[in-house]
Amino acid sequence: AQTVTQSQPEMSVQEAETVTLSCTYDTSESDYYLFWYKQPPSRQMILVIRQEAYKQQNATENRFSVNFQKAAKSFSLKISDSQLGDAAMYFCAYRSQGKSTFGDGTTLTVKP
Amino acid sequence: GAGVSQSPSNKVTEKGKDVELRCDPISGHTALYWYRQRLGQGLEFLIYFQGNSAPDKSGLPSDRFSAERTGESVSTLTIQRTQQEDSAVYLCASSLNRGRRNTIYFGEGSWLTVV
């Protein structure tokens, strides 16, 4: 079975600084997707960034980027120039053949 | 089991048929969520149950969708007269309560294909 591990239950960052959230996963599949979701105090789960496993290039979305290390099964999220609105819980997720596995989440606090 | 359990894991149905998806949350978790994830897209919130309070149904896309929860246990998401655009993974999650610092735990999802 696939597992996703987020080893940092809580992280904090100073506004305008950079923070990296870690995520590792375990799978025997070769074709899969990886996601980072943001969950603000509302119930919505906002897709932050997505990475296809077959792509070697790391995905980037504005201030968000990932460091995808397929051999190491690592998928960390880097948030640059952190803003107060980035404060939320972040979930790392793995998806293959319709099955999704989520990490336990990392609560990010942004200090003004 | 220790985690959120969903069934069936895969379901193929004909257009126009009704389907029921089941979610067994973690024991003791008062909050239960249903989300939908279409291929290549993020999670769409569907419905939220919190204890004995009236559920938040604001995310249900049409009146063909409904969900029930018995107390703080099993929930069933029903889709009537399925359409091809209903094809997606339906994810259930539960948490201890609504507090932001209470992590939510996801099931593996029910993959629905409408043909």
Side-chain angles (χ1 to χ4, degrees):
Chain A
Q2 291 78 21
T3 59
V4 176
T5 302
Q6 292 179 249
S7 59
Q8 307 150 317
E10 297 187 352
M11 291 283 285
S12 67
V13 63
Q14 205 70 33
E15 193 176 6
E17 297 292 312
T18 296
V19 64
T20 298
L21 308 184
S22 64
C23 173
T24 58
Y25 60 95
D26 188 24
T27 183
S28 58
E29 305 281 343
S30 59
D31 186 19
Y32 51 88
Y33 293 86
L34 296 165
F35 304 84
W36 277 99
Y37 287 95
K38 170 185 176 182
Q39 188 186 42
S42 70
R43 296 177 199 94
Q44 292 296 334
M45 291 284 278
I46 301 167
L47 178 62
V48 174
I49 201 164
R50 180 182 73 174
Q51 175 83 42
E52 289 92 339
Y54 66 86
K55 290 187 177 179
Q56 293 185 338
Q57 186 173 5
N58 289 324
T60 299
E61 288 287 341
N62 301 314
R63 297 182 295 107
F64 299 87
S65 61
V66 298
N67 183 5
F68 174 46
Q69 301 289 329
K70 190 172 184 179
K73 297 178 182 171
S74 171
F75 183 61
S76 60
L77 174 70
K78 185 171 81 171
I79 307 173
S80 304
D81 185 25
S82 298
Q83 301 176 0
L84 295 178
D86 295 335
M89 181 170 276
Y90 288 81
F91 290 91
C92 177
Y94 164 102
R95 179 174 171 178
S96 174
Q97 299 182 11
K99 288 186 182 289
S100 293
T101 305
F102 286 75
D104 287 346
T106 297
T107 300
L108 178 65
T109 302
V110 181
K111 299 177 181 178
Chain B
V4 177
S5 177
Q6 291 187 246
S7 61
S9 55
N10 285 284
K11 175 73 175 178
V12 180
T13 191
E14 291 181 355
K15 179 181 173 181
K17 294 283 179 70
D18 297 351
V19 296
E20 282 190 354
L21 307 177
R22 176 189 168 105
C23 173
D24 265 297
I26 293 173
S27 178
H29 280 194
T30 58
L32 186 147
Y33 310 73
W34 281 99
Y35 293 91
R36 177 172 70 178
Q37 185 180 32
R38 289 194 170 116
L39 185 63
Q41 298 183 17
L43 297 183
E44 296 174 72
F45 166 74
L46 296 177
I47 190 168
Y48 167 76
F49 296 91
Q50 173 58 49
N52 294 319
S53 302
D56 177 353
K57 304 179 181 180
S58 60
L60 293 178
S62 76
D63 59 8
R64 296 187 296 105
F65 288 73
S66 63
E68 293 183 348
R69 186 182 187 193
T70 306
E72 295 182 354
S73 61
V74 171
S75 175
T76 303
L77 176 68
T78 302
I79 309 172
Q80 295 177 308
R81 305 181 302 281
T82 52
Q83 304 294 314
Q84 288 185 329
E85 63 262 26
D86 299 334
S87 297
V89 175
Y90 290 84
L91 286 154
C92 176
S94 71
S95 69
L96 201 54
N97 60 41
R98 286 186 63 176
R100 182 182 142 192
R101 291 189 179 274
N102 280 280
T103 195
I104 63 175
Y105 298 86
F106 285 85
E108 291 194 336
S110 291
W111 191 9
L112 176 65
T113 303
V114 182
V115 297

